[in-house]
C-alpha cells in the first residue's frame, strides 16, 4: 500500500516518469521511513496505469531511451484519498515486535551468539540514528511536521537501542519467566 500511496501522491504534485520518482525515493531515503523500495516504482506505475489510476501523459526522448511520463487520473486522486484515509486509521507499530519475539525465545541460541548478534544490532541502530541526524541536518530548517517526524524517528531508534543495550548489559540471558 505504501508504494501506491507514495507514487500517487507524487503524481498528484505533477506528472513524473519512473526514474524521477525513483530518484526522489532514494534522495529522501524513503526505504527507511516509508518502507518503499526504489525498485518497486516501475511495477507500481505499470499497475496504476492498468487500473486507470495513472495515465501516460507524454513520452520524453532521451539519449538512452524514451521516458514515459505519467499523470494521476481522477480515479487515481480518489484512490489516493482512500489510501490516505486507510493509513490514518491504522495504528503505528509502536514497539519492536521482532525484538520482543527474539527475547521471549532467547534460549534458542547460545548466550555468546545472542550477545554477538545484539552487538551487531546495536551497531546497526547507531548507524541508523546517525543517518537520521545527518538527514535532518541536511534539510534544516524543517517545516514543523517534518521536524516532528524526525524527532519521532530518532526517539524510536533511541528506544530500540536502549532495549538492545539492556540485553547487552544483562548478566544472564535466560528466557522470560512466563512461557
Amino acid at each position: 500500500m505504501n508504494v501506491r500511496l507514495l507514487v500517487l501522491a507524487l503524481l498528484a504534485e505533477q506528472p513524473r516518469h519512473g526514474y524521477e520518482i525513483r530518484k526522489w525515493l532514494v534522495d529522501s531515503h524513503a526505504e527507511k521511513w516509508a518502507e518503499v523500495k526504489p525498485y518497486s516504482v516501475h511495477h507500481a506505475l505499470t499497475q496504476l496505469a492498468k487500473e486507470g489510476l495513472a495515465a501516460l501523459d507524454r513520452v520524453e526522448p532521451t539519449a538512452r531511451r524514451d521516458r514515459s511520463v505519467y499523470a494521476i487520473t481522477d480515479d487515481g486522486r480518489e484512490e489516493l484519498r482512500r489510501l490516505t484515509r486507510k493509513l490514518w486509521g491504522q495504528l503505528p507499530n509502536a514497539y519492536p515486535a521482532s525484538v520482543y519475539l527474539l527475547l521471549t525465545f532467547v534460549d534458542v541460541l547460545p548466550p555468546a551468539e545472542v550477545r554477538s548478534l545484539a552487538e551487531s544490532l546495536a551497531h546497526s541502530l547507531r548507524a541508523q540514528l546517525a543517518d537520521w541526524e545527518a538527514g535532518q541536518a541536511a534539510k534544516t530548517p524543517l517545516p514543523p511536521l517534518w521536524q516532528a517526524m524526525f524527532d519521532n524517528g530518532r526517539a524510536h531508534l533511541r528506544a530500540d537501542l536502549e532495549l538492545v543495550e539492556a540485553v547487552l548489559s544483562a548478566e544472564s540471558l535466560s528466557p522470560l519467566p512466563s512461557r
Side-chain angles (χ1 to χ4, degrees), residues 34-105:
E35 297 178 342
V36 175
K37 309 282 188 231
Y39 60 77
S40 65
V41 168
H42 290 287
H43 175 72
L45 274 173
T46 301
Q47 189 62 36
L48 291 168
K50 280 182 187 176
E51 295 174 28
L53 304 175
L56 184 64
D57 185 62
R58 65 186 180 279
V59 176
E60 294 178 346
T62 67
R64 291 184 62 203
R65 62 179 166 173
D66 293 347
R67 287 195 175 142
S68 299
V69 178
Y70 290 88
I72 193 169
T73 64
D74 289 341
D75 287 346
R77 288 182 195 286
E78 186 54 41
E79 176 68 358
L80 174 59
R81 287 188 285 273
R82 186 190 73 75
L83 291 172
T84 301
R85 287 181 189 108
K86 183 177 179 181
L87 199 57
W88 271 109
Q90 292 179 358
L91 289 174
N93 187 6
Y95 51 87
S98 59
V99 176
Y100 290 178
L101 182 62
L102 290 170
L103 293 177
T104 301
F105 300 102

Side-chain angles (χ1 to χ4, degrees), residues 33 128-129 131-137 139-160:
W33 59 265
Q128 285 182 35
L129 188 55
D131 283 349
W132 274 79
E133 289 170 350
Q136 180 177 357
K139 293 172 177 62
T140 301
L142 292 171
L145 289 178
W146 285 34
Q147 181 66 51
M149 288 188 308
F150 272 96
D151 291 347
N152 182 266
R154 282 194 323 273
H156 279 273
L157 286 168
R158 284 188 192 116
D160 292 348

